[in-house]
């Protein structure tokens, strides 16, 4: 959930926008109580508040503390205090009669000034809330407006139970840092305190406007030269004889504009100042509005040269000359496209100018929206009209301009006084001073701010993924169009594979081409790029530093590389910076920045900026390269540990897929194991975690699972053995230190085609999907069992009948579990895909991954689809006999006739001998009744079962022994033989080729 101010809260009900939900329910109050008791808060706590509570607890603060540090030596004439006094005086008059408590603190949280809407309020409150000098920094006062605004460095709201201290539970506050407009450093905090019921969203606008007024006064305190230029502007107007009431501040002109539009005007004004010439430019804004900015050079009496920029709305004259310009220049045509909003520095910002010299033609305030306009300020709450439409005065100190010369414009459209009207009551003209400043200061400040912003943006945008190509693309997207118009990036071929390049100059491949247009004749992505020795790109690689070519028309090395190609490029680009991409001593490639639209060529500052961008990007690219190398190694290990092919068998038709996660390789696995009696074992499992350890552990678990399955244990016993193994691996792992880091899930199914029964058991794994021949899809509720490695609980197997043509679909949780999807919806989607029984298992695997798997899987996916076949009864022969040695000859004769019917005369002799020995062994050492079965599959399988659980063992008989050679004979005649246990006893089986071998 996100509050209206954009800050997330943990949980809670939505509000109506007039205040936080904690004033309508006890959730956050209870959350605070739970937190103070050492429990985790459950509802209604915003992220910043919870973080502040946690810091308070770390500091050992007590919520019932009533005292705070007091400083009686604080500077009452601090610059923030001098700037704030007139603004707070105006606020006090605007909030007269209300329970508002207004304070200003310095950057350390010490309260310097206090004002009250109701004078009697101060007499009824404790000193801590009325007397300046108390320190409200978070480390002393806990969660409060002033302390949290300093910690979060933004507008903060704290309500009732969100305060850490008990004394503040009945109050609410808003606090906003006040910054030095030139340095951007926080100078103090402006705070509004009030009872909780006094809350209203309009207070945001009030505190922002008041803080802006204080910041403007800080700016005027800081810039004597700017004030000198401003006085020259005023003096020029006085000489022109303009009436002081005939001007209007720019805030009145653009009252209805969005904040981004206001910032755009200030940005364009700073650009005009930096050009140091007389000019005019139309700035298109949103909603079809346009504002004309006019810049005029001027010189102060002390010789300071600067530029004044005025804003002119439609209906006002834009060609009125400043009365005493020291130089006159033609008005050039400038681009009207607004630049990215940046608060200008190095220039004085003026919102209202009394005594302005402008002799303007009265006209309507066309930029002020009519009532009902979507950008008209919302009506203030009852009793707050004056406060919301704050007029923050700018009476300057005695050493500055006179109080009646400057005042910021903060009037709302419905509060225009005589200062905003002509003598006859007509609307004031749509014109006013926007900026005045020095060109060089404005140029350097604007460029520096843009560079800092670009580097800050690069830190956030470059390296968001661990993909080499994507990271290179992010570098290009960050640089265009803020630094360059086109960017090409060439990386060494080994780098793209995650390896180090022995000589990156010999095998560069075009990786990125990005720019304001996509039709320029750069070498396409994927093409190998060969640079000559004099080309800037290769020079930068050789020297290990950025190479600047300000004018490509004179860059001989660049022109000689490919004359035909470079001639076509020269019609579009004119300047180049080539920067090597080097990280941790490894050369990765080279980036080329081209300028096309900006007529100014690249300079040294641009080269430094490009070098810094490339350095940051190279680190991210190298991180991605290393990750690619490690992921490739782990993926290769993972794939080598998975089955490399499917066994030849006729029991099921099998297809499988393995899809690694995008971020890392995990421990998902599958296996298909032929079992005696024409049965088939199907495994799917998942080892917890990702990376090399998980892949290696997966290999060990899969090998053990295959061994246990080939011993012909039933599914539940196989899982029991695996559980013991994983627990032992965890205890023996030196990394875990006995704490347990290895875990796994597994599902094992054994299908018998002769009975069409499937026995399944699972250990913490998702249940399989069973698809009937008619398309019916079910997810049987198998006993879950604990994940492998926990121990202590048994596993349970379930037998399910599967008609011929059924499908068993086994998968890992990466297929169905995703943080952005509901599992039940995914299972319904999987059910719909599997219902198409006409698809082969291969087609089913493909469709499932295409439609059900996440687009960007965060976990591995293993998928196994098996379509069952029934064993032909005509290829099965069965006999039952009592434990009587006389019946052995009858079984041999019957088996001989059956093999003759099957046309297996060549295998008859071997089968006869094996059956004779196995039956005799069962009669002598087992218990009746005895069952004999022959299966004709890809090989001939002989099975003899009895009710005894005693298994025979192969041994080497001595020359004097009269017996003990029967199993030795069976082992010699068969391809393989063994024993498996059943609930009724055991089965001894032997398998030989159909040709008797």
């Amino acid at each position: 959930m996100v509050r209206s101010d954009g800050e997330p809260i943990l949980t809670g009900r939505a509000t109506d926008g007039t205040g936080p939900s904690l004033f309508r329910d006890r959730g956050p109050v209870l959350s605070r109580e739970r937190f103070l008791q050492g429990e985790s808060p459950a509802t209604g706590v915003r992220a910043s508040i919870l973080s502040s509570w946690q810091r308070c607890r770390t500091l050992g603060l007590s919520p019932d503390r009533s005292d705070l540090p007091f400083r009686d030596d604080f500077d009452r004439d601090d610059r923030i205090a001098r700037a704030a006094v007139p603004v707070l005086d105006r606020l006090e008059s605007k909030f007269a009669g209300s329970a508002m408590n207004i304070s200003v603190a310095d950057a350390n949280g010490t309260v310097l000034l206090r004002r009250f809407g109701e004078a009697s309020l101060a007499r009824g409150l404790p000193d801590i809330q009325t007397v300046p000098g108390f320190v409200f920094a978070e480390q002393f006062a806990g969660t409060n407006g002033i302390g949290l605004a300093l910690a979060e460095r933004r507008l903060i709201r704290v309500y009732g139970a969100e305060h850490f201290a008990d004394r503040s539970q009945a109050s609410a506050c808003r606090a906003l840092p006040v910054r030095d407009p030139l340095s951007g450093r926080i100078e103090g905090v402006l705070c509004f305190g009030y009872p909780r019921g006094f809350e209203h969203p309009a207070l945001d606008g009030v505190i922002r406007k008041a803080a802006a007024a204080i910041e403007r006064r800080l700016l005027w305190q800081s810039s004597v030269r700017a004030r000198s230029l401003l006085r020259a502007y005023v003096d020029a107007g006085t000489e022109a004889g303009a009436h002081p009431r005939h001007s209007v501040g720019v805030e009145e002109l653009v009252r209805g504009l969005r904040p981004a539009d206001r910032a755009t005007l200030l940005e364009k004004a700073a650009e005009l100042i930096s050009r140091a010439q007389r000019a005019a430019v139309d700035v298109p804004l949103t909603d079809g509005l346009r504002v004309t900015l006019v810049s005029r050079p001027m010189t102060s009496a002390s010789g300071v040269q600067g530029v004044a920029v005025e804003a002119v709305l439609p209906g006002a004259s834009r060609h009125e000359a400043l009365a005493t310009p020291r130089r006159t220049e033609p008005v050039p045509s400038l681009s009207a496209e607004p630049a990215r909003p940046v608060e200008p520095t190095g220039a004085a910002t003026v919102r209202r100018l009394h005594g302005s010299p402008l002799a303007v033609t009265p006209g309507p305030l066309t930029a002020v929206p009519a009532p009902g306009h979507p950008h008209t300020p919302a009506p203030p709450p009852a009793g707050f009209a004056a406060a919301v439409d704050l007029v923050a005065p700018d009476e300057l100190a005695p050493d500055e301009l006179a109080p009646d010369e400057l005042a910021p414009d903060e009037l709302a459209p419905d509060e225009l006084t005589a200062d905003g009207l002509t003598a006859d009551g007509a609307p004031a003209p749509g014109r006013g001073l926007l900026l005045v400043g020095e060109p060089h200061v404005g140029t350097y400040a604007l460029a520096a701010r843009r560079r800092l912003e670009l580097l800050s943006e690069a830190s956030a945008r470059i390296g968001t993924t661990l993909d080499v190509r994507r990271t290179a693309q992010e570098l290009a997207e960050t640089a265009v169009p803020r630094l360059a118009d086109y960017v090409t990036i060439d990386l060494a071929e080994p780098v793209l594979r995650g390896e180090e390049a022995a000589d990156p100059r010999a095998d560069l491949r075009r990786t990125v081409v990005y720019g304001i247009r996509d039709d320029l004749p750069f070498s396409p992505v994927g093409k190998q790029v060969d640079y000559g020795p004099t080309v800037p790109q290769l020079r930068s690689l050789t020297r290990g530093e950025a190479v600047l070519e300000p004018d490509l028309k004179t860059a001989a090395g660049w022109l000689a590389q490919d004359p035909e190609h470079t001639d076509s490029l020269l019609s579009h680009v004119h300047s180049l910076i080539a920067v090597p991409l080097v990280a941790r001593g490894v050369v990765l490639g080279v980036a080329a920045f081209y300028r096309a639209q900006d007529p100014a060529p690249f300079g040294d500052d641009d080269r430094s900026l490009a070098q810094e961008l490339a350095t940051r990007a190279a680190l991210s690219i190298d991180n991605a390269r290393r990750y690619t190398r490690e992921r490739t190694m782990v993926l290769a290990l993972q794939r080598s540990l998975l089955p490399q092919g499917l066994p030849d068998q006729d029991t099921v038709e099998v297809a499988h897929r393995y899809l690694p996660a995008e971020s890392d390789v995990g421990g998902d696995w599958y296996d298909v194991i032929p079992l005696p009696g024409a049965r088939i074992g199907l495994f799917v499992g998942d080892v917890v975690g990702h990376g090399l350890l998980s892949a290696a552990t997966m290999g060990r678990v899969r090998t053990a699972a295959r061994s246990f399955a080939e011993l012909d244990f039933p599914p539940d016993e196989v899982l029991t053995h695996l559980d013991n193994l994983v627990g032992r691996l965890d205890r023996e792992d030196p990394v875990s230190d006995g704490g347990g880091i290895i875990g796994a899930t597994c599902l094992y199914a054994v299908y018998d085609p002769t009975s069409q029964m499937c026995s399944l058991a699972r250990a913490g794994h998702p249940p399989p999907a069973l698809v009937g021949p008619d398309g019916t899809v079910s997810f049987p509720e198998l006993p879950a069992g604990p994940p492998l490695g926990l121990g202590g609980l048994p596993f349970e197997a379930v037998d399910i009948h599967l008609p011929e043509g059924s499908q068993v679909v086994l998968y890992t949780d990466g297929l169905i579990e995703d943080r952005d999807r509901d599992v039940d919806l995914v299972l319904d989607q999987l059910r719909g895909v599997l219902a198409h029984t006409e698809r082969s298992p291969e087609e089913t695997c493909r469709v499932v991954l295409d439609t059900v798997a996440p687009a960007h899987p965060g976990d591995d996916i293993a998928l196994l689809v098996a379509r069952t076949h029934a064993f032909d009864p005509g290829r099965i022969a069965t006999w039952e006999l009592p434990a009587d040695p006389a019946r052995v000859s009858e079984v041999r004769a019957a088996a001989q006739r059956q093999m003759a019917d099957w046309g297996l005369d060549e295998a008859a002799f071997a089968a006869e001998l094996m059956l004779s020995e196995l039956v005799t062994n069962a009669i002598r050492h087992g218990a009746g009744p005895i069952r004999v079965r022959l299966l004709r599959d890809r090989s001939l399988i002989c099975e003899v079962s009895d009710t005894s659980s005693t298994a025979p063992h192969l041994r080497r008989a001595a020359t004097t022994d009269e017996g003990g050679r029967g199993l030795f004979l069976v082992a010699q005649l068969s391809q393989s033989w063994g024993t498996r246990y059943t609930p009724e006893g055991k089965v001894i089986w032997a398998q030989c080729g159909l040709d008797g071998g």
Side-chain angles (χ1 to χ4, degrees), residues 964-987:
R965 296 176 179 81
L967 287 182
F968 181 79
L969 182 61
V970 170
Q972 294 299 312
L973 293 174
S974 65
Q975 295 175 342
S976 59
W977 73 279
T979 303
R980 71 173 181 270
Y981 294 93
T982 66
E984 297 81 16
K986 67 176 182 298
V987 176

Side-chain angles (χ1 to χ4, degrees), residues 819-835:
R819 67 181 63 183
D820 299 323
R821 303 188 302 169
D822 183 84
V823 173
D824 292 334
L825 296 178
V826 176
L827 289 176
D828 289 341
Q829 189 178 14
L830 178 61
R831 190 191 310 271
V833 172
L834 297 179

Side-chain angles (χ1 to χ4, degrees), residues 235-261:
D235 292 344
T238 303
E239 295 174 11
H243 195 280
R245 305 292 190 187
H246 287 180
S247 67
V248 65
V250 74
E251 285 288 335
E252 293 176 21
L253 296 175
V254 296
R255 168 69 61 177
L257 298 182
R258 293 189 174 99
D261 288 341

Side-chain angles (χ1 to χ4, degrees), residues 678-689:
R679 296 170 303 134
I680 197 76
L682 304 174
F683 269 114
V684 68
D686 183 3
V687 174
V688 174

